[in-house]
Amino acid sequence: MAQAATATPSREDFASMLEESFVTGNLQEGSVIKGIVVGLEKDVAVIDVGLKTEGRVQLREFTGPGRGKDLKIGDEVEVYLERVENALGEAVLSRDKARREESWGKLETAFKNNEKVTGTIFNQVKGGFTVDLDGAVAFLPRSQVDIRPIRDVTPLMNAPQAFQILKMDRRRGNIVVSRRTVLEETRAEQRQELVQNLEEGQVIDGVVKNITDYGAFVDLGGIDGLLHVTDIAWRRVNHPTEVLNIGQSVKVKIIKINHETHRISLGMKQLLDDPWQGIEAKYPVGTRFKGRVTNITDYGAFVELEPGIEGLIHVSEMSWTKKNVHPGKIVSTSQEVEVQILEVDPVKRRISLGLKQTMRNPWEVFVEKYPPGSIVEGEVKNKTEFGLFLGLDGDVDGMVHLSDLDWKRPGEQVIEEYKKGDKVKATVLDVDVEKERISLGIKQLGGSDPMAEGSPGGDMKKGDVVTCEVMDVKEAGLDVKVAGTDLDAFIRRADLARDRGDQRTDRFQVGQKVDARVTQFDRKTRKISVSIKALEMAEEKEAIAQYGSSDSGATLGDILGTALKQRSGDKEKAEE
């Protein structure tokens, strides 16, 4: 009994404690007051809040996540007074509400001062979790649990942890907290401390943590650095996985540190000798080397000459003849090719290579095989307004200009007789190797130029009188051929006679021979014009000058008659 008396407070102690509580207590409804535990029943605690007023509170309200303390008779507790007296004459009390009121006050202060609070994750709900903040229940969104998404949060449940209040609304009773913010802040502090211990140029060991298309993240012992794909090796690395694996230990050099963002740039190739040192002496311009095609683009192909040294064959330097072809149709990846060094720029780390320079110029080869005057055969590749293009031996093209299609007919007319794919023979007229041009002629196959000097009719000049044979009678005039030559001409209707009444084409017949005067003979434009009218007018002028004028009394008919008789007599003598 003595021991029991020692363990349990006496009635005098209760009386003094209650007296103190009565003096200092406040039995105002809707407020938090202090009370004394005076009894413990099966699942409730009897609490005296003063003025001989007692209330009952469920024991479960005194326990919960993070609160494992056993309640004893005599303990002083704070409770929320909802009503001073109910129908049974007891005070209506709540420990949960008391704790909530107390917690809200502390939480509002922490939120205002941006301070962290301690809480316990005790349940999972839609979109996140519920957290007990010493009586106040807060919502923890799933995205705010950790820095990285985690699948299993069981280890975090029912364990006191630090949180940051993101938002709170007392009227609605809403509180949103974040664990991620606390972790990020802690991590930032750790990163800052780690970064301060690192220096640019320092060589450090690390472990490949993650690999992306553009590089690899290396763990340097609590802080990550980026090893860009271009800094892995001096040679071209298309993807980091060609060299690195996750979990691989690597030695890297710190290239750059950004102390504001805590970003660290790393390099592996910087630990090796730079292959570009002395590059000009190693690869003189004009020399040839063999290399392997590593990458093909729209503008050319990259060729690896040695590990870490690549040059570019521009599309314009890939082929002599294939001008508008994608580089992938000329070379393929991993193909070994022979190239010529065109230019070396050690500052920009660029080497220009040529592929076509390792092959003979096809125009040089062509002119050696087919010098001017040779006859070649080719396929019509294209027709343009100025001529025909023929595909020739050696994958080169030659052009037949309109003026070189036919001696007699206009080129615009003759070209219509040709179509793509036709096999055509032509004469090589000229080869310009530098300009990569081959001039061809088709009309030259049919003989020499009938208008050339020294040829029959080639020495003809303006004013000459010629005899023409009528080849065709048309409404607009006569198609004629100059006798003794291969020259064709056309006599217009207006040039058929001096007198308008005689300018009729029905006066002439095919095969008839007529004399006419040459009014135009142009070798350059290849134009010949003859006129009977011009001849008659010239003869009239000559007759008047020789046999007198009409003023002397002789008529024009008399003068012309005399002249014609004279001309006829001269002609008969010539025939004799």
Side-chain angles (χ1 to χ4, degrees), residues 387-388 400-407 409-416 418 441-444:
L388 288 177
V400 183
H401 195 270
L402 289 177
S403 61
D404 290 312
L405 288 172
D406 196 285
W407 289 115
R409 295 179 296 161
E412 294 84 358
Q413 176 184 340
V414 180
I415 197 172
E416 296 301 325
Y418 297 91
I442 293 177
K443 70 181 183 181
Q444 288 78 3

Side-chain angles (χ1 to χ4, degrees), residues 84-263:
V84 175
E85 186 175 357
N86 62 8
L88 300 175
E90 296 179 343
V92 180
L93 307 175
S94 171
R95 172 59 185 160
D96 282 343
K97 289 185 178 181
R99 186 183 293 109
R100 191 176 300 119
E101 287 294 317
E102 180 183 0
S103 294
W104 269 96
K106 294 178 180 178
L107 294 174
E108 285 178 332
T109 302
F111 180 58
K112 183 178 180 180
N113 298 330
N114 198 28
E115 296 174 349
K116 299 178 185 64
V117 296
T118 302
T120 305
I121 302 173
F122 67 90
N123 193 21
Q124 182 171 338
V125 295
K126 184 178 180 181
F129 305 88
T130 50
V131 180
D132 178 30
L133 300 177
D134 194 22
V137 178
F139 175 64
L140 172 65
R142 187 174 294 275
S143 62
Q144 297 297 322
V145 175
D146 208 315
I147 296 174
R148 291 188 176 89
I150 56 176
R151 296 181 178 179
D152 186 14
V153 296
T154 304
L156 304 178
M157 302 284 284
N158 300 316
Q161 298 176 68
F163 295 91
Q164 187 78 38
I165 300 174
L166 301 180
K167 184 171 64 175
M168 63 184 305
D169 186 338
R170 185 162 190 170
R171 183 173 61 85
R172 297 183 177 181
N174 293 335
I175 305 175
V176 180
V177 295
S178 171
R179 178 174 175 269
R180 174 179 177 174
T181 304
V182 177
L183 295 177
E184 287 177 341
E185 185 176 334
T186 304
R187 184 185 181 189
E189 293 174 356
Q190 293 173 347
R191 285 174 63 91
Q192 186 172 2
E193 184 178 350
L194 288 170
V195 169
Q196 289 176 349
N197 296 326
L198 298 176
E199 296 179 358
E200 293 184 1
Q202 181 180 351
V203 178
I204 189 171
D205 292 323
V207 177
V208 178
K209 189 174 182 181
N210 190 26
I211 295 178
T212 67
D213 291 338
Y214 54 86
F217 288 93
V218 179
D219 186 355
L220 305 178
I223 187 170
D224 293 346
L226 174 62
L227 174 61
H228 197 269
V229 64
T230 57
D231 289 313
I232 294 177
W234 289 108
R235 66 178 179 84
R236 176 184 293 273
V237 177
N238 293 316
H239 197 276
T241 51
E242 295 177 8
V243 181
L244 304 173
N245 297 309
I246 294 178
Q248 178 181 346
S249 297
V250 292
K251 189 178 290 293
V252 293
K253 185 175 184 178
I254 298 176
I255 301 174
K256 187 176 181 181
I257 299 176
N258 189 323
H259 290 279
E260 294 182 2
T261 61
H262 297 166
R263 291 182 178 177

Side-chain angles (χ1 to χ4, degrees), residues 388-533:
L388 288 177
F389 283 91
L390 306 183
L392 304 174
D393 188 19
D395 205 21
V396 295
D397 290 346
M399 189 191 78
V400 183
H401 195 270
L402 289 177
S403 61
D404 290 312
L405 288 172
D406 196 285
W407 289 115
K408 304 174 183 178
R409 295 179 296 161
E412 294 84 358
Q413 176 184 340
V414 180
I415 197 172
E416 296 301 325
E417 299 175 2
Y418 297 91
K419 59 181 183 297
K420 282 187 178 182
D422 285 352
K423 289 289 185 179
V424 177
K425 287 186 177 182
T427 300
V428 178
L429 303 181
D430 182 55
V431 179
D432 190 328
V433 175
E434 186 177 341
K435 295 182 179 179
E436 301 180 353
R437 292 177 183 172
I438 298 174
S439 297
L440 304 175
I442 293 177
K443 70 181 183 181
Q444 288 78 3
L445 295 173
S448 60
D449 185 358
M451 292 184 71
E453 293 182 9
S455 61
D459 295 326
M460 190 184 302
K461 59 185 181 296
K462 184 178 179 181
D464 287 351
V465 177
V466 294
T467 299
C468 301
E469 182 180 351
V470 178
M471 306 302 293
D472 191 14
V473 178
K474 300 178 180 178
E475 182 68 24
L478 305 178
D479 282 329
V480 299
K481 185 173 185 177
V482 180
T485 71
D486 289 329
L487 299 176
D488 294 332
F490 182 74
I491 304 177
R492 297 181 304 149
R493 185 185 184 100
D495 288 321
L496 291 177
R498 180 178 181 276
D499 296 331
R500 184 178 295 274
D502 293 331
Q503 293 175 354
R504 306 190 316 274
T505 58
D506 56 7
R507 295 175 50 235
F508 300 90
Q509 296 178 354
V510 174
Q512 181 181 346
K513 292 184 178 181
V514 295
D515 291 337
R517 184 182 178 92
V518 178
T519 57
Q520 184 181 18
F521 186 82
D522 191 332
R523 289 190 181 90
K524 189 173 183 180
T525 61
R526 309 199 66 77
K527 288 186 178 181
I528 303 173
S529 298
V530 294
S531 171
I532 299 174
K533 175 182 177 180

